Amino acid sequence: MSTALTARERMLGRLRAAAPSAPEAVEAIDAAIDSHYQARRVASPQSPRQQITAMQAALRAAHADVDCVSGDAWPAQLAQRLAAHGVRRLLMDSASVEGQALRAALPAGVDALAFDRPLAQWKSELFDTVDAGFTVARSGIVATGTLVIAPDAATPRTVSLAPPLHICLVYASTLHADLHAAARAERWADGMPSNLVLVSGPSKTSDIQQTLAYGAHGPRWLWVLIIDDLSALEGGQP
């Protein structure tokens, strides 16, 4: 016992005698992180159009369905596909620009629903009879095929979580190479949104035998529409 105590005291003595190191300045840590990610992006540069291709590949690898469409054609294309999929009740924000465009294109058999009631008042209806939810992503992260969604009162988290089909629209001009680039470009450090949802594919889980199943804890299907708005930014060049 005395030997153990002596060893313990010797160890504590060395710790007490060691001079505490000064913490590294936050600015230096930030600079090191910036340098790390910038070097990675320089080593594997991607043009904006290459980012679209990489985003599609990453999402498809995660079992999402992805299309790159033009800004004027997507409402009619999506409306036609919703009808073919058998969607009858679509949860969406009809007041948004994208919501207005989609609602105008919906066929008579597809009803646009607003999230205008407290969840407790229509929880069973929401989970049992709503076929799909439509959201617009704040941005996208190419490296992981991730959609960055900022829920609000009109499109709370439930819109992308409860219906079996989640449709998300993201503009090509808002794609970022990686999470670091997204945080920097959107200035999260100056006031990160209190509620960001990162979606990288449909809901999936596996049992003890590692059998993968989709839709157990959220949408079974994820449709992503990448709106190609780059031509306008490139001066009309294809």
Side-chain angles (χ1 to χ4, degrees):
M1 180 66 72
S2 61
T3 303
L5 289 175
T6 301
R8 177 176 178 274
E9 290 300 325
R10 285 201 302 268
M11 180 181 67
L12 290 175
R14 288 195 296 269
L15 291 174
R16 294 189 184 102
S21 58
E24 193 169 359
V26 172
E27 292 77 10
I29 297 174
D30 282 348
I33 294 173
D34 288 346
S35 177
H36 169 77
Y37 280 99
Q38 287 167 2
R40 287 179 54 178
R41 291 193 285 270
V42 169
S44 301
Q46 288 182 321
S47 69
R49 294 206 172 274
Q50 288 174 324
Q51 286 188 331
I52 294 177
T53 301
M55 185 75 173
Q56 287 178 298
L59 280 163
R60 286 170 180 158
H63 207 72
D65 192 305
V66 192
D67 288 306
C68 183
V69 295
S70 65
D72 56 349
W74 74 265
Q77 293 177 5
L78 178 56
Q80 183 179 16
R81 189 173 181 194
L82 288 170
H85 189 75
V87 171
R88 294 294 175 263
R89 308 189 79 206
L90 175 65
L91 189 60
M92 57 184 287
D93 176 15
S94 296
S96 68
V97 172
E98 296 81 4
Q100 291 176 11
L102 178 56
R103 185 167 187 173
L106 290 177
V110 181
D111 293 329
L113 305 176
F115 203 107
D116 54 4
R117 287 174 282 169
L119 180 60
Q121 293 184 9
W122 70 311
K123 185 176 181 179
S124 60
E125 177 186 351
L126 172 63
F127 282 86
D128 294 340
T129 66
V130 174
D131 302 307
F134 174 78
T135 63
V136 178
R138 170 192 178 110
S139 56
I141 301 172
V142 173
T144 53
T146 300
L147 303 163
V148 182
I149 301 173
D152 55 22
T155 52
R157 174 69 177 99
T158 314
V159 176
S160 63
L161 177 64
L165 168 61
H166 174 205
I167 304 126
C168 188
L169 182 152
V170 61
Y171 290 94
S173 60
T174 67
L175 298 182
H176 304 291
D178 47 47
L179 180 61
H180 174 266
R184 285 303 192 199
E186 298 180 13
R187 306 182 67 86
W188 292 4
D190 295 344
M192 182 176 176
S194 59
N195 186 12
L196 283 181
V197 176
L198 304 183
V199 176
S200 298
S203 169
K204 51 187 175 290
T205 187
S206 61
D207 57 20
I208 196 170
Q209 295 179 329
Q210 298 184 351
T211 301
L212 194 61
Y214 291 90
H217 306 295
R220 181 177 180 182
W221 302 284
L222 172 64
W223 294 355
V224 180
L225 299 178
I226 301 177
I227 305 302
D228 184 357
D229 59 344
L230 297 180
S231 295
L233 301 177
E234 296 167 346
Q237 296 297 318

